[in-house]
Amino acid sequence: MPLRERRSEERLKFLAEASRLLSSSLDYETTLRSLARLTVPTLADWCAVEMALPDGTTEQLEVAHIDPEKVQLARDLRRKYPPNTEAPVGVHAVIRTGTPLLLAKIPSEMLEQGSQSEEHLRLIRALGLESAMVVPLTARGRVLGALTLVSAESGRHYDESDFTFAQELAGRAAISVDNARLYREAQTEIARRLEVERELQAAKRQLEVVLDGVADGLTAQDPAGRVVYANAAAARLVGCESVQEFLSTPVEALMQRFALFEEDGRPMRREDLPSFVARNGAELPPKLLRFRVIATGEERWSIVRARPVFDEDGAVRLVINIFRDVTQERIAAFRERVLADATAELGSSLDYHATLKSVARLVVPQLADWCIVHVVDDGGEIVTVEAAHRDPEKIARLEELARRYPADPRAPRGVGRIIQTGEPELVSNITDEALVYVARDRDHLELLRSLGFKSYMGVPLVARGRVLGTIVLVAAETIRHYNESDLAFATELGRRAGIAVDNARLFADAQAAIQKRDDFVSVASHELRTPLTSLVLTVSALESAVNAEGALHWSKDRLVGRVAAALRQVTRLTRLVDQLLDTSRIAAGSLTLDLAKVDVVALVREVVLRFRDDAASSRTDLVLDAPAVLEGKWDRERLDQVITNLVSNALKYGGGNPVHVRVSTTGDVAVIEVRDRGQGIAPDDQRRVFDRFERAATRSQTGMGLGLWIAKQIVEAHGGTISLTSEVGVGSTFRVELPLSGGIGAS
Amino acid sequence: MSSIMIVDDDEDIRTTLADMLEDDGHEVVRAENGQRALEALRAGVRPCLILLDLMMPVMDGWAFRAAQQQDPELASIPVVAITAAGKPVASSIDATEVIQKPFGIDQVRAAIQRYC
């Protein structure tokens, strides 16, 4: 093979080897070093690789020679005499200009110019440098460094073909370096981006944690209205299980879950919604939004605010919505108002039935779907005063329930128990099992279910330690679940209502007492005037019995009769005054009994005898039926008073029919019965005859109505009882039972 | 002399008043309640004046006065109510005149003077 062809083949083999080496690794420093060593001694005795640094300086990456001692020598030399980077010829000039340099024969002057001292020159010369090629490592127009090939001991002189090959080799090396550097930059960039992304992810997670921790709902909408971000609170507030559910549900579908209202209850137009306004680039002040969850009927309140976010061109890029659930605050405020209104309402009138009705209506529907008020009436019956609900049809159903299944006072829960114990009740969640437990039969259960009760509170109406009724609040349609704070509100409402009921009743009682007192005064005055009239007339008649000369012109009988009449009036007046005194004495609790052994038969006989004349004058038979003797320990005077009163009444109201007085014993008890066959007393009046200032028939009968009341007090002070059985048109029987052993209340 | 009717459930008043009016020379008819008085009138008794108590058992003064006014034979007889009741009750009777208890005999004599 001719020399030329052999060299060409060797070069091709070398290039192949160099290319393999350059592509073996992206660590171009290592591959360049290997390349430099590869060239020695095939292409050069010396090979150096000088790399340009970003700061404009250079760095010798490698210097290769077959002899490691010479390599060390070259390195020492360079350290001792750092190259002049500004030199017009040489490695640095090639790196600066990108122009390759071929020195077939290194001129001696060049060595002299490049040396920095005699010693330096001597050392350079000692290296025996013959020929040199300096080729730039150029890629994409930039000089990355330079490859220097030098012949010395081999005595070889580089020609143009060597120079071309060297440039080819440098070109490949440069591409490899460039690739490696690009790759390295890309790797660095990728790593940097990964780092940034990691940081962003961490920041995003942190932000999400923060935003999810925020109680306020937060969403971001794009200009088309799509929700692109929502926090956990936002998802919860619109009734979504998760943020994912929220984001995957179209806004239209979400909006259909709610009915929106202005604060005053008017339906809210969509274009008045803050988010709608913000999408058009405007911002409203925070707005109070009232909405009803259509599925449950629950009413809630929210403060909503929306803010547009603009891009560089001033177009709306995002709308940030912030909404806060203020239902609890609204309920609290509403409770305050209800309590204030209720107090005003309760204080406005003494008709407590009417005011309790108004109070029940104040509560519905904001705080309860049902408000049911019961009061305990004078007879101890539990009466429903009001059952308030929005829907009259439901009220009718409740009335049916109350009629068919009246409240059981012995039930372990409910109105009866609250009235008995005065303790409020709270059932946060009424389950169907609870309804099944409470229901008395299938119909009852169906009715209860149809009313849809979900949560219940019952509180007493209390005043001065007495339970006067109850207020029951029930949540049904709105699915509110009452809690302790609701119960505290209801209890306060009950307390205020209780005081109002108590005041109204006290006022009514006071009015009734005043009325009775007035009646008494007029009756007492009437009773006193009657004997007084007789007395005045009798005394003036007596006056006229004596004529101008002082002579008596009346018969003795007539005179005695008139004086006796006058005495009777005085006795009558005395008795009336005594009754009045007894009344005030008993009322003051100072009735005392003077107990001694008394034969009640003898006493009754004496009283009957006393009334003999009266009975005769009204042609009434007064019949006594008694054993011979019946002794007990009693206050004789007081007992006389009781029997006198009963006999006197029987004669007065007996209508002239026979009056029977009977004395008997039952065990250790003496029984005195006085029976007339007069007009009788109507059932309604029977209860009242023993009350103070009461008379069965006020206008047509006289008497103060104190006698029976006083009699009752006396009998009870003896530990006995007095009772009445009467039938209109048949007559009345008063029965006194007295223990023989004497008075319990005696002193 | 003229005839006077006294209607009062209080026997002492009836007796004392009757005695005094009889001493004055009047003829006196006594009744212990409205029912008895009405019976006497319907039996033909025609007093020139009726002295009528109001609060009485069986038939009270108001019921008597209503029955009397409804009877054309009796309606024209003047009635002077004599009552121990207070003003409000006393004024509720549609009587010719009202005298409140306690009263003196002179008040009755003056009334008789006016109507008999």
Side-chain angles (χ1 to χ4, degrees):
Chain A
M1 190 183 291
L3 180 66
R4 192 183 184 85
E5 282 177 22
R6 210 177 63 229
R7 274 181 66 188
S8 176
E9 195 174 312
E10 275 172 6
R11 282 179 184 162
L12 279 174
K13 271 166 88 177
F14 186 87
L15 267 183
E17 179 63 19
S19 294
R20 193 192 53 76
L21 186 69
L22 290 169
S23 62
S24 67
S25 164
L26 284 162
D27 177 2
Y28 67 89
E29 287 93 344
T30 306
T31 53
L32 281 180
R33 282 191 192 106
S34 302
L35 180 68
R37 286 191 294 268
L38 189 67
T39 60
V40 175
T42 319
L43 294 180
D45 297 318
W46 291 93
C47 180
V49 178
E50 191 84 16
M51 297 302 292
L53 295 177
D55 62 0
T57 62
T58 64
E59 174 198 40
Q60 188 175 64
L61 188 64
E62 182 67 352
V63 56
H65 191 277
I66 195 98
D67 181 354
E69 276 183 25
K70 291 215 170 178
V71 169
Q72 193 53 53
L73 181 70
R75 283 188 182 145
D76 290 346
L77 200 61
R78 183 184 173 97
R79 200 161 36 247
K80 200 165 176 186
Y81 304 102
N84 176 14
T85 56
E86 301 301 320
V89 186
V91 174
H92 290 96
V94 171
I95 288 174
R96 244 188 351 264
T97 61
T99 311
L101 172 69
L102 170 64
L103 295 170
K105 172 95 178 92
I106 299 172
S108 181
E109 313 85 70
M110 187 183 275
L111 292 180
E112 284 162 18
Q113 279 169 8
S115 64
Q116 294 169 23
S117 66
E118 285 297 317
E119 171 68 9
H120 189 201
L121 181 63
R122 193 186 60 79
L123 286 171
I124 292 171
R125 281 197 173 135
L127 289 174
L129 306 177
E130 277 297 323
S131 180
M133 292 187 291
V134 184
V135 288
L137 298 170
T138 307
R140 291 183 292 131
R142 282 192 311 137
V143 180
L144 309 176
L147 181 71
T148 306
L149 296 166
V150 178
S151 76
E153 50 273 29
S154 64
R156 181 175 167 180
H157 290 268
Y158 295 120
D159 57 12
E160 276 300 322
S161 99
D162 292 323
F163 193 43
T164 308
F165 177 73
Q167 288 179 65
E168 172 67 24
L169 185 63
R172 293 198 183 195
I175 287 168
S176 170
V177 168
D178 192 41
N179 280 347
R181 280 189 173 173
L182 282 175
Y183 177 77
R184 195 175 288 177
E185 276 172 26
Q187 285 302 102
T188 310
E189 179 62 20
I190 287 169
R192 197 181 61 80
R193 285 191 189 180
L194 277 173
E195 183 57 29
V196 168
E197 199 172 312
R198 257 198 304 277
E199 279 171 17
L200 275 176
Q201 284 292 345
K204 190 181 171 212
R205 270 196 303 279
Q206 266 178 344
L207 186 63
E208 276 177 356
V209 167
V210 169
L211 292 180
D212 281 350
V214 170
D216 292 357
L218 205 77
T219 65
Q221 283 176 290
D222 68 11
R226 272 190 305 272
V227 177
V228 293
Y229 171 79
N231 70 351
R236 206 168 46 242
L237 288 172
V238 296
C240 288
E241 294 278 326
S242 64
V243 170
Q244 284 70 26
E245 184 193 332
F246 189 171
L247 295 179
S248 60
T249 311
V251 174
E252 282 305 317
L254 285 174
M255 294 294 284
Q256 278 170 6
R257 295 182 185 183
F258 307 103
L260 306 179
F261 303 97
E262 298 277 358
E263 188 179 358
D264 60 11
R266 283 179 299 119
M268 183 178 280
R269 300 181 309 160
R270 278 196 68 174
E271 53 268 36
D272 292 337
L273 275 172
S275 65
F276 197 94
V277 174
R279 265 156 65 193
N280 293 324
E283 190 178 342
L284 291 177
K287 189 160 187 160
L288 186 61
L289 176 70
R290 190 170 152 184
F291 60 98
R292 195 165 60 241
V293 182
I294 287 168
T296 61
E298 183 183 17
E299 191 170 274
R300 303 200 68 86
W301 297 77
S302 207
I303 287 183
V304 188
R305 137 172 236 182
R307 172 171 286 176
V309 177
F310 301 98
D311 61 16
E312 305 81 46
D313 303 328
V316 175
R317 212 180 82 197
L318 278 178
V319 169
I320 305 295
N321 298 299
I322 302 168
F323 40 107
R324 171 178 296 175
D325 188 285
V326 291
T327 309
Q328 284 308 317
E329 287 91 324
R330 291 292 306 185
I331 287 174
F334 197 78
R335 280 184 196 149
E336 290 287 315
R337 212 169 68 219
V338 165
L339 283 180
D341 287 355
T343 305
E345 192 69 53
L346 290 166
S348 67
S349 158
L350 285 159
D351 177 359
Y352 70 84
H353 276 256
T355 52
L356 286 177
K357 274 177 199 281
S358 319
V359 168
R361 286 172 203 157
L362 284 177
V363 177
V364 172
Q366 278 84 351
L367 298 177
D369 293 308
W370 289 95
C371 181
I372 304 151
V373 183
H374 294 97
V375 294
V376 183
D377 72 6
D378 295 340
E381 294 280 312
I382 300 171
V383 183
T384 307
V385 174
E386 178 70 352
H389 188 279
R390 265 186 296 208
D391 181 358
E393 195 271 325
K394 292 243 171 166
I395 294 174
R397 219 178 300 168
L398 186 81
E399 280 166 359
E400 185 192 345
L401 184 80
R403 196 180 62 249
R404 288 176 57 188
Y405 304 97
D408 179 0
R410 290 156 307 164
R413 275 194 184 285
V415 170
R417 190 179 164 277
I418 297 169
I419 286 168
Q420 268 183 0
T421 64
E423 293 294 324
E425 288 182 357
L426 168 66
V427 181
S428 267
N429 190 20
I430 301 176
T431 58
D432 193 60
E433 293 81 66
L435 294 183
V436 171
Y437 177 75
V438 165
R440 292 178 214 168
D441 57 37
R442 183 160 286 282
D443 272 9
H444 192 197
L445 180 61
E446 285 313 307
L447 258 173
L448 286 172
R449 277 180 177 155
S450 76
L451 288 166
F453 295 157
K454 294 290 187 302
S455 189
Y456 151 90
M457 294 192 282
V459 295
L461 301 181
V462 202
R464 293 184 293 134
R466 288 186 313 137
V467 182
L468 309 174
T470 61
I471 295 181
V472 169
L473 299 180
V474 182
E477 296 81 12
T478 56
I479 319 201
R480 191 197 304 285
H481 289 284
Y482 293 127
N483 53 29
E484 289 296 329
S485 115
D486 292 306
L487 189 65
F489 154 76
T491 305
E492 178 58 21
L493 186 64
R495 197 183 63 80
R496 294 190 191 191
I499 291 169
V501 170
D502 192 43
N503 282 347
R505 285 189 174 166
L506 284 177
F507 181 76
D509 288 352
Q511 287 295 97
I514 290 168
Q515 185 60 47
K516 274 190 185 174
R517 180 62 53 97
D518 287 351
D519 288 352
F520 170 69
V521 168
S522 87
V523 168
S525 132
H526 178 269
E527 289 305 293
L528 292 169
R529 279 163 201 263
T530 302
L532 212 51
T533 306
S534 300
L535 194 60
V536 168
L537 289 174
T538 306
V539 172
S540 70
L542 284 170
E543 191 188 21
S544 66
V546 180
N547 63 18
E549 288 77 38
L552 185 75
H553 59 83
W554 276 11
S555 69
K556 187 190 169 201
D557 282 354
R558 192 173 173 195
L559 187 65
V560 169
R562 289 299 88 202
V563 170
L567 283 174
R568 262 203 313 278
Q569 313 313 334
V570 171
T571 308
R572 214 166 131 187
L573 281 167
T574 308
R575 206 182 73 227
L576 285 168
V577 170
D578 283 346
Q579 275 196 354
L580 289 173
L581 288 175
D582 277 349
T583 304
S584 65
R585 208 172 285 143
I586 292 166
S590 57
L591 175 72
T592 54
L593 298 182
D594 184 8
L595 296 179
K597 194 192 266 185
V598 176
D599 174 8
V600 72
V601 175
L603 179 62
V604 170
R605 187 166 287 125
E606 199 181 307
V607 174
V608 166
L609 217 65
R610 213 183 293 143
F611 278 99
R612 195 185 46 195
D613 289 351
D614 283 3
S617 73
S618 62
R619 292 185 288 280
T620 303
D621 280 341
L622 186 53
V623 184
L624 174 63
D625 172 12
V629 174
L630 177 53
E631 288 186 330
K633 214 173 164 196
W634 299 303
D635 182 325
R636 193 177 200 286
E637 288 292 312
R638 291 296 182 187
L639 218 49
D640 186 327
Q641 209 177 333
V642 172
I643 300 159
T644 300
N645 180 272
L646 295 181
V647 173
S648 154
N649 281 347
L651 289 174
K652 199 188 284 180
Y653 303 117
N657 299 308
V659 169
H660 287 266
V661 181
R662 189 164 171 268
V663 181
S664 59
T665 47
T666 309
D668 290 341
V669 174
V671 180
I672 306 157
E673 287 171 298
V674 180
R675 181 160 60 92
D676 70 57
R677 291 183 194 161
Q679 63 199 51
I681 299 167
D684 277 355
D685 293 328
Q686 287 180 24
R687 260 198 310 198
R688 297 189 294 124
V689 292
F690 296 109
D691 288 352
R692 215 171 2 163
F693 312 142
E694 289 290 350
R695 268 178 310 157
T698 42
R699 225 161 58 163
S700 51
Q701 255 102 43
T702 55
M704 281 187 288
L706 281 174
L708 282 173
W709 182 75
I710 293 170
K712 185 169 184 256
Q713 307 309 312
I714 293 169
V715 170
E716 286 177 354
H718 278 94
T721 58
I722 184 165
S723 60
L724 162 68
T725 48
S726 184
E727 199 179 327
V728 174
V730 176
S732 307
T733 302
F734 283 88
R735 180 186 168 96
V736 173
E737 296 189 6
L738 291 167
L740 298 176
S741 54
I744 286 169
S747 56
Chain B
M1 280 301 267
S2 47
S3 148
I4 314 288
M5 179 179 259
I6 301 171
V7 192
D8 198 318
D9 63 327
D10 190 281
E11 199 198 339
D12 283 330
I13 291 183
R14 270 199 321 269
T15 308
T16 317
L17 195 53
D19 280 359
M20 296 183 82
L21 295 182
E22 279 166 355
D23 281 352
D24 287 349
H26 300 291
E27 190 187 320
V28 178
V29 182
R30 310 166 196 205
E32 66 198 62
N33 59 50
Q35 185 65 46
R36 292 275 156 82
L38 216 51
E39 283 164 11
L41 292 170
R42 289 192 173 140
V45 173
R46 285 292 178 272
C48 65
L49 177 67
I50 299 171
L51 296 170
L52 177 70
D53 184 26
L54 294 182
M55 291 184 179
M56 292 180 290
V58 187
M59 181 188 275
D60 65 23
W62 291 272
F64 166 82
R65 176 65 170 155
Q68 180 233 343
Q69 282 181 316
Q70 273 176 13
D71 190 330
E73 299 268 312
L74 311 173
S76 61
I77 305 171
V79 171
V80 170
I82 48 169
T83 178
K87 278 256 163 62
V89 175
S91 59
S92 71
I93 181 79
D94 177 24
T96 318
E97 197 176 309
V98 175
I99 296 176
Q100 284 199 282
K101 292 178 182 174
F103 53 80
I105 190 68
D106 292 344
Q107 280 172 278
V108 180
R109 284 179 181 142
I112 293 169
Q113 202 98 74
R114 278 197 288 281
Y115 304 112
C116 295

